[in-house]
Amino acid sequence: AQTVTQSQPEMSVQEAETVTLSCTYDTSESNYYLFWYKQPPSRQMILVIRQEAYKQQNATENRFSVNFQKAAKSFSLKISDSQLGDTAMYFCAFTSPRDDKIIFGKGTRLHILP
Amino acid sequence: DARVTQTPRHKVTEMGQEVTMRCQPILGHNTVFWYRQTMMQGLELLAYFRNRAPLDDSGMPKDRFSAEMPDATLATLKIQPSEPRDSAVYFCASGLGKRISDTQYFGPGTRLTVL
């Protein structure tokens, strides 16, 4: 069975700093997708970034980028020039086309300090 | 600005009562997902529909939960009878793709408290 692990329950960084959130996963599949979702205090889940496993290139979205290490089964999220609005819970998620399930990690609560 | 809407946003009920949560997917989206979020279990997929047909409800307790799509603009999740352990935030999400890996747009959630 697939698993997703986020080892950092909570983190705090100063505004404008760079922060990296870690995520590891376990699967025997070769074709799959990985996601980072943001859940601010408003509770709305927002897709931050999506990575397809067969693509070597790391996905980026403005200040958000991932470091996808397929062999190590690692999928970390880097937030550059962090802003107060980045304060939220961040969830890593995994899905594979073969079983059509989605599995979320337990989340990392990120605080951006002024 | 197209959004997924969910009603009610908050619901407090007594154990044993029926609870119905509603979701209006983004117009034109053909896939609808129901999730449950708790502190202990995190975020879990309960069920999802494509073109109004249920594709997978293996994450849902069958004895008391039911999910339906009476039409393309409405999805419902019903709990009967409700129990305190059902207290959670229930999210609906919708998407345009054929696969669960395609982008999903989440609603604001319904916070359910069962006393």
Side-chain angles (χ1 to χ4, degrees):
Chain A
Q2 289 93 351
T3 59
V4 176
T5 302
Q6 292 180 248
S7 59
Q8 305 147 312
E10 197 159 0
M11 298 180 72
S12 296
V13 296
Q14 295 294 134
E15 192 177 6
E17 288 185 353
T18 294
V19 59
T20 300
L21 281 58
S22 67
C23 172
T24 58
Y25 58 94
D26 190 24
T27 184
S28 57
E29 301 289 333
S30 57
N31 183 27
Y32 51 87
Y33 298 80
L34 295 158
F35 307 84
W36 278 100
Y37 279 92
K38 171 184 178 181
Q39 188 178 38
S42 67
R43 213 168 63 196
Q44 184 94 34
M45 293 283 288
I46 303 162
L47 177 65
V48 175
I49 209 158
R50 178 177 181 265
Q51 175 81 43
E52 299 169 62
Y54 60 85
K55 286 191 176 177
Q56 299 276 4
Q57 189 171 6
N58 289 325
T60 63
E61 284 290 339
N62 301 313
R63 298 182 295 106
F64 298 86
S65 61
V66 296
N67 183 5
F68 174 45
Q69 303 285 331
K70 192 172 183 179
K73 296 179 182 172
S74 170
F75 183 62
S76 60
L77 175 70
K78 185 171 85 170
I79 306 174
S80 303
D81 186 26
S82 57
Q83 301 175 358
L84 297 178
D86 296 332
T87 291
M89 281 286 285
Y90 287 82
F91 293 94
C92 178
F94 168 100
T95 182
S96 74
R98 200 154 76 99
D99 64 9
D100 224 21
K101 303 281 187 198
I102 185 164
I103 299 173
F104 288 84
K106 296 293 188 191
T108 295
R109 186 176 299 279
L110 176 64
H111 302 275
I112 307 298
L113 307 172
Chain B
D1 185 23
R3 298 183 186 191
V4 175
T5 58
Q6 290 185 248
T7 56
R9 292 294 308 275
H10 304 272
K11 176 74 176 177
V12 180
T13 191
E14 302 269 334
M15 183 174 66
Q17 296 297 306
E18 178 179 298
V19 175
T20 299
M21 291 168 273
R22 293 177 174 80
C23 167
Q24 184 172 8
I26 293 173
L27 193 62
H29 282 193
N30 63 342
T31 311
V32 173
F33 305 83
W34 282 106
Y35 292 90
R36 176 171 63 183
Q37 185 177 33
T38 62
M39 290 294 292
M40 293 299 295
Q41 299 297 327
L43 203 60
E44 305 170 284
L45 177 65
L46 296 176
Y48 74 99
F49 295 76
R50 186 164 297 128
N51 297 322
R52 295 177 55 200
L55 282 193
D56 187 352
D57 62 0
S58 59
M60 203 164 66
K62 301 290 192 304
D63 55 340
R64 299 181 299 108
F65 284 60
S66 61
E68 294 179 347
M69 276 202 78
D71 62 60
T73 64
L74 177 64
T76 62
L77 180 66
K78 192 173 294 187
I79 308 174
Q80 166 65 1
S82 57
E83 297 180 2
R85 60 181 167 148
D86 300 329
S87 297
V89 180
Y90 292 82
F91 288 100
C92 172
S94 71
L96 261 176
K98 293 182 181 178
R99 297 173 302 195
I100 202 168
S101 55
D102 294 319
T103 300
Q104 300 180 30
Y105 298 84
F106 281 74
T110 294
R111 181 179 292 280
L112 174 65
T113 303
V114 183
L115 303 174

